[in-house]
Amino acid sequence: VAAIQYRKALELDRNVAAAHAGLSMVQEMRGKLSDAREEAEIAARSDASYRQAAERLAGLRNNIEM
């Protein structure tokens, strides 16, 4: 359900960093780390001041590289 809501938000505005970060979290919980990282990267690019996006991206990079 959460993924649907994040996608709906992104249909309205593709640059909402919080929606990309939220979708990243959902993808990570589903075990789709590559997709999660991609969404976190988009979130970080969308809003460089959005600290949660940078933190998610750093955490995902560490998890994928292990």
Side-chain angles (χ1 to χ4, degrees):
V1 175
I4 293 169
Q5 295 301 318
Y6 290 128
R7 286 191 177 102
K8 283 183 180 181
L10 292 169
E11 285 176 14
L12 297 173
D13 185 349
R14 296 294 302 166
N15 295 315
V16 178
H20 284 290
L23 191 53
S24 171
M25 184 175 55
V26 171
Q27 296 295 51
E28 181 182 13
M29 291 181 350
R30 291 179 173 170
K32 298 180 178 182
L33 297 182
S34 180
D35 292 340
R37 181 177 174 175
E38 181 178 341
E39 289 297 331
E41 288 172 348
I42 295 169
R45 283 194 309 267
S46 295
D47 185 350
S49 67
Y50 188 55
R51 194 176 80 204
Q52 182 183 2
E55 291 171 354
R56 287 209 50 70
L57 183 55
L60 287 164
R61 284 181 176 158
N62 288 337
N63 286 339
I64 291 173
E65 291 171 1
M66 295 180 132

